[in-house]
């Protein structure tokens, strides 16, 4: 079975891996000259289905809870399973209750437990929530490692080309917002990357705020990704001053050391989303589309890849999975 | 029927379109609430009207009137510019005017609000001013050309419900013929019913529905509460009294036998 995948973001590469593992002949074609710069490149990389459930539908939890295992199996050593810490400034402590009411899988933490988990935050917060089952990865490292691994498995990755000539049995569009369809809308996300050796965190920390909820994800080399805005808009222009100010002030509220950090990068990505903010795998003859991963690329791409691979290679269990995914 | 700048409306609930789990849920909530007017933020939801095409066409497909707002504006010039852009983008003279005075409480800057209202009214806008429950500010807004008022009952998104019923009552008493809409601070259907029972003409809310566990069910609940409060007001409410009064007649009872 020859499969052509358009798009080397997280949707395209997870599908390529799923298909290659199952023995298909895979070619991935990407319009860009390299992986860097797509929406997946700007992602937080949190595998946090319980936290997401606070504002997303149950489907996100159902489909997302297997994501950490999938990434761990595909890229051993990339997944960090240290949970998610959710905090709120003392004045907004009520936000923790509100957040907790909307989801499950929570452990309530007091000041000493927060200090034990994240010594750098000792004395700064009196209450928090801990989602012990959650995980995270570095999206950039994961995308690069996945593409290297795919090449090793014999898959072809072609950058900067349309590859209209490629002969395939099935074609899968994983181009995200570039697949300009009327049902699909863009939700702009802005983020920034800070560097400081004055503070270290072991896990993603979400800081609740009634208006500006943010997360800070630690990465290697003293880097911290701070994200992300959600704006109903599909322009990918530079980050706005207001968004940068809000992200920075939230990071500063988490710990003043971020005030002295170097601002090494700002990034903007456009998340592809359907009206229900849930992803879809759709088939039209020899063409398949995976899209609408919204803010859940790394979390939901594995489930979508499995579903599409079942559709392509005919797994008998495919129907149940597809039904479940489409509710 | 509710009459807002000459538009006759049967629903007395106005709904914001932000903060929902998804646009699909928002659309369902709008339907379930029975609302005929939704507010849209030009800045945050459509990125200054530059693009935001999909969200905007979804709002249009709801078949309800759109009330653009100037949410997030902190000065008169910002608010006026945003209102002018909104008129172009949304094709309506209606504008929900917000001039925020305090970043923390999102309390309206009532001085800037009156100034911006005067400018916009002179340019033919039909202004829906988001204001406090201050009576004198209300008078100034009417002088500036506003034909209705939208006082808060508590800070935006706080879900605290009516904090000063006396002030709301006083506004109602002073402006019997001006449409009064409680905008901001409503947390529960009982809050909405309470202000409608005071004789308010309508209620505008967003967070209480959008961030509810089930926004669609909550939208229906608010729709009913607003209706119930209005019907109760029209029916004439019983004033509280200090003494118990039996509701069953005592005459003819076989008492003390």
């Amino acid at each position: 079975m020859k499969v052509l995948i358009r798009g080397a973001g997280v949707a395209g590469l997870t599908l390529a891996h799923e298909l290659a593992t199952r023995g298909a002949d895979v070619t991935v074609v990407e319009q860009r000259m390299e992986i860097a710069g797509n929406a997946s490149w700007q992602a937080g990389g949190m595998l946090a289905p319980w936290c997401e459930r606070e504002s997303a539908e149950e489907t996100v939890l159902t489909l997302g809870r297997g994501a950490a295992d999938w990434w761990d199996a595909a890229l051993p050593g990339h997944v960090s399973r240290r949970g998610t810490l959710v905090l709120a400034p003392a004045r907004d402590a009520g936000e923790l209750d509100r957040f907790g009411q909307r989801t499950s899988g929570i452990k309530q933490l007091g000041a000493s437990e927060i200090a034990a988990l994240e010594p750098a935050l000792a004395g700064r917060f009196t209450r928090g929530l801990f989602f012990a089952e959650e995980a995270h990865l570095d999206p950039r490292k994961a995308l690069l490692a996945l593409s290297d691994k795919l090449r090793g498995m014999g898959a072809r990755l072609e950058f900067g080309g349309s590859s209209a000539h490629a002969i395939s049995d099935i074609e899968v569009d994983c181009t995200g917002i570039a697949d300009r369809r009327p049902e699909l809308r863009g939700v702009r996300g802005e983020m920034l990357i800070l560097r400081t050796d004055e503070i270290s965190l072991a896990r993603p920390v979400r800081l609740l705020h009634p208006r500006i909820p943010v997360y800070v994800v630690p990465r290697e080399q003293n880097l911290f990704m701070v994200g992300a805005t959600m704006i109903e808009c599909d322009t990918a222009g530079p980050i706005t001053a207001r968004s940068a100010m809000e992200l920075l002030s939230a990071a500063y509220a988490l710990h003043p050391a971020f005030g002295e950090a170097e601002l090494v990068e700002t990034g903007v990505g456009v998340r592809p989303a359907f009206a229900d903010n849930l992803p879809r795998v759709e088939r039209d003859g020899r063409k398949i589309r995976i899209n609408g991963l919204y803010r859940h690329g790394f979390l939901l791409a594995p489930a979508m890849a499995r579903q599409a691979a079942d559709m392509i290679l005919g797994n008998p269990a495919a129907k149940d999975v597809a039904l479940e995914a489409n509710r | 029927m509710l009459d807002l700048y000459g538009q006759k409306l049967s629903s007395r609930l106005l709904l914001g379109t932000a903060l929902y789990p998804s646009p699909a849920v928002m659309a369902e909530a709008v339907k379930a609430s029975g609302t005929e007017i939704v507010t849209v933020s030009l800045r945050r939801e459509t990125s200054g009207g530059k693009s935001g095409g999909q969200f905007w066409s979804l709002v249009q497909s709801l078949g309800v009137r759109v009330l653009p707002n100037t949410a997030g504006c902190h000065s008169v010039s910002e608010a006026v510019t945003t209102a002018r852009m909104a008129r172009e983008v949304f094709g309506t003279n209606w504008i929900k005017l917000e001039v925020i005075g305090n970043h923390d409480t999102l309390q309206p800057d009532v001085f800037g609000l009156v100034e911006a209202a005067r400018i916009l009214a002179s340019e033919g806008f039909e202004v829906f001013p988001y204001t406090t429950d201050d009576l004198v500010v209300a008078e100034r807004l009417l002088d500036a050309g506003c034909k209705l008022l939208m006082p808060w009952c508590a800070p935006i998104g706080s879900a605290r419900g009516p904090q000063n019923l006396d002030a709301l009552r006083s506004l109602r008493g002073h402006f019997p013929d001006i449409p009064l809409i409680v905008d901001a601070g409503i947390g529960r259907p009982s809050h909405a019913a309470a202000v409608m029972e005071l004789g308010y003409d309508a209620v505008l809310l967003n967070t209480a529905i959008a961030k509810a566990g089930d926004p669609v069910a909550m939208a229906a609940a608010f729709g009913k509460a607003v209706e119930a409060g209005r019907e109760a007001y029209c029916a004439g409410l019983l004033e509280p009294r200090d003494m118990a009064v039996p509701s069953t007649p005592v005459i003819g009872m076989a008492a003390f036998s």
Side-chain angles (χ1 to χ4, degrees):
Chain A
M1 175 77 74
K2 281 178 185 291
V3 184
L4 176 67
I5 298 172
R6 296 193 183 277
V10 70
L13 293 183
T14 48
L15 175 63
H17 187 274
E18 191 67 24
L19 289 170
T21 311
R22 300 193 198 179
D25 177 346
V26 181
T27 302
V28 180
V29 179
E30 167 62 48
Q31 289 277 315
R32 293 172 185 273
M33 296 309 292
E34 53 182 2
I35 286 180
N38 60 27
S40 307
W41 192 255
Q42 314 294 359
M46 286 177 295
L47 307 172
W50 287 273
C51 279
E52 288 302 312
R53 175 69 180 99
E54 182 263 334
S55 60
E57 295 195 40
E58 184 72 19
T59 311
V60 171
L61 177 55
T62 316
L63 294 177
R65 60 199 310 167
D69 289 340
W70 190 95
W71 285 106
D72 220 3
L75 299 173
H78 277 256
V79 177
S80 170
R81 295 173 184 262
R82 299 204 186 109
T84 306
L85 182 58
V86 179
L87 301 170
R91 197 193 64 172
D92 303 322
E95 294 298 305
L96 292 171
D97 299 322
R98 200 193 54 73
F99 192 95
Q101 281 163 11
R102 298 278 177 267
T103 184
S104 58
I106 301 164
K107 190 182 171 223
Q108 299 275 348
L109 303 184
S112 59
E113 294 154 302
I114 293 170
L117 279 175
E118 296 290 353
L121 301 177
R124 298 194 53 74
F125 298 91
T126 53
R127 276 186 61 206
L129 308 174
F130 187 50
F131 295 81
E133 301 296 307
E134 297 190 336
H136 74 285
L137 49 69
D138 180 334
R140 298 178 178 185
K141 283 178 63 186
L143 291 170
L144 294 173
L146 202 53
S147 52
D148 285 347
K149 184 177 175 190
L150 283 166
R151 285 193 193 92
M153 292 166 85
R156 281 169 302 281
L157 275 73
E158 295 170 13
F159 288 88
S162 68
S163 199
H165 59 278
I167 298 160
S168 64
D169 303 309
I170 294 273
E171 209 177 297
V172 190
D173 189 304
C174 298
T175 55
I177 199 64
D179 180 16
R180 299 258 160 208
R181 275 195 291 166
E183 315 92 276
L184 209 57
R185 74 186 206 286
V187 182
R188 176 179 159 100
E190 297 150 307
M191 65 87 165
L192 32 96
I193 296 179
L194 300 174
R195 180 164 52 216
T196 175
D197 58 5
E198 287 183 34
I199 176 176
S200 68
L201 297 173
R203 54 183 60 73
V205 178
R206 293 185 183 223
L207 186 67
L208 302 185
H209 181 284
R211 301 199 291 278
I212 320 160
V214 297
Y215 52 81
V216 177
V217 190
R219 291 189 182 159
E220 284 176 1
Q221 294 165 332
N222 301 325
L223 295 176
F224 297 87
M225 185 268 197
V226 185
T229 57
M230 306 266 292
I231 299 169
E232 290 288 343
C233 153
D234 58 8
T235 47
I239 189 168
T240 63
R242 177 190 293 259
S243 295
M245 188 181 72
E246 289 178 348
L247 293 171
L248 286 169
S249 68
Y252 184 71
L254 182 65
H255 199 290
F258 287 118
E260 300 302 316
E262 295 171 325
L263 175 49
V264 294
E265 186 185 327
T266 63
V268 176
V270 180
R271 311 172 181 94
F274 292 109
D276 59 5
N277 287 347
L278 294 172
R280 292 181 198 164
V281 177
E282 297 162 301
R283 180 165 197 164
D284 180 10
R286 286 178 55 254
K287 294 213 169 189
I288 289 176
R289 285 168 146 145
I290 302 179
N291 217 325
L293 276 94
Y294 183 47
R295 56 180 273 161
H296 303 125
F298 284 80
L299 181 63
L300 299 186
M304 293 296 105
R306 278 202 193 108
Q307 207 174 307
D310 290 343
M311 209 180 256
I312 293 163
L313 301 173
N315 183 326
K319 281 221 165 67
D320 299 340
V321 179
L323 277 175
E324 188 191 341
N326 295 327
R327 289 179 305 145
Chain B
M1 263 193 136
L2 181 61
D3 184 332
L4 304 177
Y5 286 107
Q7 290 298 321
K8 302 270 192 289
L9 302 148
S10 39
S11 168
R12 292 174 179 270
L13 178 59
L14 289 72
L15 223 53
T17 52
L19 302 173
Y20 291 84
S22 70
V25 172
M26 183 269 288
E28 285 295 303
V30 166
K31 264 182 229 152
S33 71
T35 190
E36 291 164 299
I37 300 176
V38 296
T39 64
V40 175
S41 159
L42 182 71
R43 297 197 140 203
R44 291 318 265 180
E45 290 171 286
T46 64
S47 183
K50 273 178 277 181
S51 167
Q54 278 318 303
F55 187 78
W56 172 225
S57 43
L58 189 108
V59 170
Q60 280 180 308
S61 73
L62 298 173
V64 293
R65 287 190 70 92
V66 169
L67 172 58
N69 67 51
T70 63
C73 292
H74 286 253
S75 70
V76 172
S77 62
E78 251 185 310
V80 168
T81 308
T82 304
R84 288 174 185 151
M85 279 167 67
R87 174 149 70 179
E88 296 303 313
V89 173
F90 299 111
T92 172
N93 281 332
W94 280 15
I95 189 75
K96 182 189 158 191
L97 183 60
E98 290 184 29
V99 184
I100 300 302
N102 183 288
H103 185 69
D104 208 47
T105 61
L106 301 182
Q107 182 160 347
D109 168 1
V110 293
F111 306 96
L113 182 68
V114 171
E115 196 184 331
R118 182 168 292 121
I119 295 168
L120 291 173
S122 75
E123 292 179 10
F125 281 93
E126 295 172 328
V127 181
F128 293 58
Y130 162 60
T131 180
T132 64
D133 51 24
D134 188 287
L135 180 61
V136 181
V137 172
E139 283 172 346
R140 296 279 189 279
L141 286 167
L142 297 176
D143 289 347
C146 298
K147 301 273 189 282
L148 59 82
L149 297 167
M150 299 216 292
W152 70 353
C153 78
I156 297 178
S158 69
R160 287 174 178 276
Q163 296 294 290
N164 190 348
L165 281 172
D166 290 332
L168 292 178
R169 234 183 243 121
S170 164
L171 278 183
R172 182 70 286 175
H174 275 86
F175 307 112
D177 301 324
I178 300 292
L180 295 180
I181 303 169
V182 165
D183 176 10
I186 299 275
R188 301 166 174 243
S190 56
H191 297 156
V195 299
M196 292 305 290
E197 285 171 11
L198 294 180
Y200 272 69
D201 294 280
V203 161
L204 191 159
L205 53 95
N206 187 348
T207 316
I209 288 178
K211 298 301 267 182
D214 181 343
V216 180
M218 190 59 84
F222 267 104
K224 289 175 194 157
V226 167
E227 233 169 85
R230 178 66 189 179
E231 284 177 18
Y233 170 74
C234 293
L237 288 148
L238 189 64
E239 286 309 308
R241 49 164 93 88
D242 291 338
M243 215 188 123
V245 176
S247 53
T248 346
V250 251
I251 297 164
M253 271 179 71
F256 313 117
S257 59

